[in-house]
Amino acid sequence: MGRTGKPSDGRSGVGSASWFVVLPDLVGAGRVLRRLPGGAVLVAHRSGRPWVVGSGTPVSQEDGVVVIGGAGTGGGAEVAVRLGLDVLAVPVGRGSALDRVRAGSCHLSASVDGGVRVQGTASGLRRVFHARVDGVDLACDRADVLAAAASAPVDEDVLAALLLGDRLPHPLADLTPWRGVTAVPAGSALELRSDGGTRTRRWWTPPEPVLGIEDGAAGLRRALEEAVRLRGDAVTAGPGGIGAAVLGLLADRRGALTATDAATDAATDAATGKATTRATDLPAPLPCAPPGPLPRLCGHGADEVAGAPVEYLHDLARRNPRAAWQHLAAHRARHRWAVADVLRGFADRRDHRAWLLDQARSLHDDAVPPLGWGAPPRLPPWVSVEAAAGVAALLRAHSDAAPLAPQRGRHSHLHRVRAVAASCRVAAQVGGGEFPFLDDRVVEACLAVRAEQRGAPWTRAPLLTAAVPDVAQPRENRTAAHPGGDRLDELVEDSPLTALGVVDPDAVRAQLAVPEPRWATALAHTLAVAAWRPGGAHERP
């Protein structure tokens, strides 16, 4: 089939943003195409039935391999499709082939003997979602597309939980704001079976943290150099603090850096030691040059991937108490922890389930003891009693979920990686950009280093600066502010949060009127969720 030629009518909620849906190789599966307006059949199964439908351009199968966009392919779409035997010459049907594929940052799908497998990346930057539409199980890279196709209603409890922002714990972070649309866990694949059923299978296991800083830095440097190389011979530098500076420096060494965002010019200039070319200074492309923007390398995720959350102290105290107390002194000064709270945190032996159940009972508690299974989730005071009860019910309902790792520090690190990947995924849907720090090989290189060396508090980003020692660290801008005015009043008033009774709009307005509100971070998260619409431009706030 060719392109449908029909523009989006808004039902998919994605406008001009890219998306794709994977269909099983079953008789009648193509009937769901009417639920995906504006999509083209990009790839067909060998049976001739539609396999990948999306917002791109149809491609032909050659030598059993089709690649549509993805990092390192020079395209803007987010799927790499491999047919038949994979590129490593291991039969896909054995289930081990795609486990070993590392292709920058892309989705992978295989169709073998009527069964279809779809997977994203280990970090979750490339995510897979699942829903059943008209009796057909579908996989998609965007939850909002599936929600529109299935006419899925909004889940008020999950919408309220999103107000927790960066304190949204595992496994609530894997929920979508639509009933009937589920997220496949990062590092797992969704299998659409030939008998019509589905199965989720884990394909990625994080490496053990056994390396010291020197060996780990060498591995990280190689992974970052490969990540930059995969983006092509001409790139621009985007935002992202020290991460952007590192990527700009590595790209400049390859002679690939052609321009930077205005907001990151200073950081990249400091990293490379010279003035970079601004986008406005670039000559117009030659008539024969292919159209399209250059990949923009964003440094977001560097701190979360290459660093270590403070919960590593809980693990270190059991392995090496003396080292833990040495690290603690610097962390106490930075976070202003009370000694009693620290001692309570070290002595806490609750498992993940008990910790989640306790959080369900203390969503409005001001106490924030450190060294738990992550940042304690706390709801701001403008959340309604009914919405808070719904969030507590979610925590209780998912309390049996296994942690991401047996140790608190390792669990928290993996959770932070997934959380920043979710933020970057939404940012990419809205404004584009590449995020090399969330490539599988980069994540693995960082996870292989011992946490106490990644999280050493005496220097900033010790692993990253050891990997690229000549990078200049940009100054941090910690000034946080929120816009004011009537526009925000309208934003809150017209949002699903108000319509569904999740928040008290008067309480939010009162916080907006305070110059330096106590709940500034929570207020920012609330405004982000308030800006979201079920049929809006991205999958979730």
Side-chain angles (χ1 to χ4, degrees):
M1 288 188 186
R3 303 187 63 163
T4 64
K6 292 190 281 186
S8 172
D9 65 1
R11 287 172 54 199
S12 67
V14 296
S16 61
S18 65
W19 56 274
F20 71 86
V21 171
V22 176
L23 287 75
D25 189 9
L26 299 175
V27 174
R31 65 178 178 268
V32 301
L33 293 180
R34 61 188 177 85
R35 295 278 197 167
L36 303 168
V41 178
L42 305 182
V43 187
H45 290 287
R46 296 193 178 214
S47 64
R49 301 183 186 109
W51 175 7
V52 182
V53 178
S55 57
T57 302
V59 297
S60 61
Q61 299 178 201
E62 296 180 5
D63 301 324
V65 177
V66 178
V67 177
I68 312 174
T73 64
E78 299 173 343
V79 59
V81 183
R82 305 185 188 280
L83 315 178
L85 301 184
D86 83 300
V87 294
L88 300 176
V90 179
V92 172
R94 295 180 186 172
S96 62
L98 294 190
D99 293 0
R100 297 166 53 193
V101 175
R102 298 291 186 274
S105 180
C106 62
H107 288 85
L108 298 175
S109 181
S111 176
V112 179
D113 298 330
V116 179
R117 173 172 166 174
V118 193
Q119 68 190 52
T121 55
S123 69
L125 177 65
R126 308 296 188 192
R127 199 73 188 267
V128 177
F129 298 92
H130 165 252
R132 193 167 180 84
V133 179
D134 287 349
V136 179
D137 287 291
L138 302 179
C140 184
D141 66 328
R142 297 182 55 145
D144 57 340
V145 174
L146 290 181
S151 300
V154 173
D155 190 319
E156 297 93 336
D157 293 341
V158 175
L159 193 62
L162 292 177
L163 297 179
L164 294 169
D166 55 0
R167 290 177 174 267
L168 187 66
H170 168 79
L172 268 58
D174 280 342
L175 303 180
T176 79
W178 293 280
R179 301 182 188 277
V181 180
T182 60
V184 177
S188 292
L190 178 68
E191 297 178 355
L192 307 176
R193 301 202 307 260
S194 57
D195 61 4
T198 64
R199 182 177 66 175
T200 299
R201 191 176 75 83
R202 184 174 181 178
W203 63 267
W204 182 77
T205 301
E208 291 297 319
V210 296
L211 298 181
I213 194 77
E214 185 175 338
D215 292 338
L220 176 57
R221 182 170 59 253
R222 290 191 296 269
L224 286 172
E225 289 171 345
E226 174 70 3
V228 171
R229 185 192 66 79
L230 282 172
R231 268 68 186 188
D233 295 328
V235 298
T236 64
I242 188 174
V246 166
L247 297 174
L249 177 58
L250 295 178
D252 187 67
R253 286 176 177 173
R254 296 189 67 244
L257 187 64
T258 62
T260 64
D261 286 349
T264 55
D265 284 337
T268 309
D269 289 350
T272 60
K274 66 179 184 180
T276 52
T277 303
R278 304 318 192 245
T280 54
D281 298 331
L282 294 177
L286 297 175
C288 60
L294 297 176
R296 183 166 60 104
L297 306 186
C298 303
H300 300 299
D303 290 329
E304 291 82 0
V305 173
V310 295
E311 287 80 14
Y312 83 88
L313 292 170
H314 190 274
D315 308 334
L316 185 61
R318 280 147 180 77
R319 297 196 322 269
N320 190 337
R322 181 177 180 181
W325 282 107
Q326 291 173 342
H327 283 236
L328 177 62
H331 281 293
R332 276 194 60 214
R334 175 180 298 179
H335 300 288
R336 300 180 181 178
W337 289 335
V339 174
D341 287 340
V342 174
L343 293 176
R344 188 155 50 103
F346 277 147
D348 180 12
R349 294 183 178 275
R350 288 174 298 174
D351 60 14
H352 184 250
R353 180 178 184 275
W355 183 82
L356 278 179
L357 289 174
D358 283 346
Q359 305 316 305
R361 291 188 285 267
S362 57
L363 284 171
H364 292 292
D365 190 351
D366 282 344
V368 185
L371 310 183
W373 287 88
R378 296 295 181 262
L379 287 172
W382 50 82
V383 175
S384 68
V385 173
E386 295 79 9
V391 175
L394 280 179
L395 287 167
R396 290 191 295 269
H398 292 84
S399 61
D400 287 331
L404 299 175
Q407 306 84 14
R408 294 187 184 190
R410 195 152 170 76
H411 165 86
S412 296
H413 189 195
L414 290 168
H415 181 58
R416 284 184 64 188
V417 170
R418 292 186 179 190
V420 74
S423 298
C424 290
R425 186 171 65 247
V426 173
Q429 291 171 2
V430 175
E434 294 274 350
F435 301 89
F437 278 97
L438 295 168
D439 283 12
D440 287 355
R441 292 195 184 278
V442 176
V443 172
E444 289 172 346
C446 294
L447 288 172
V449 181
R450 290 192 288 271
E452 63 268 25
Q453 301 208 15
R454 283 186 279 109
W458 302 283
T459 59
R460 187 189 171 207
L463 176 59
L464 198 52
T465 52
V468 189
D470 47 350
V471 68
Q473 298 199 26
R475 289 176 295 180
E476 294 184 79
N477 181 8
R478 296 184 178 274
T479 302
H482 61 80
D486 296 336
R487 187 176 65 84
L488 288 184
D489 285 346
E490 295 176 2
L491 179 67
V492 175
E493 186 64 36
D494 297 338
S495 77
L497 294 175
T498 300
L500 296 171
V502 174
V503 303
D504 177 353
D506 293 332
V508 177
R509 292 190 190 98
Q511 285 288 317
L512 288 172
V514 178
E516 295 183 5
R518 173 190 171 197
W519 292 85
T521 301
L523 184 60
H525 290 311
T526 298
L527 293 176
V529 178
W532 175 78
R533 298 294 183 270
H538 50 80
E539 67 188 41
R540 59 174 279 181

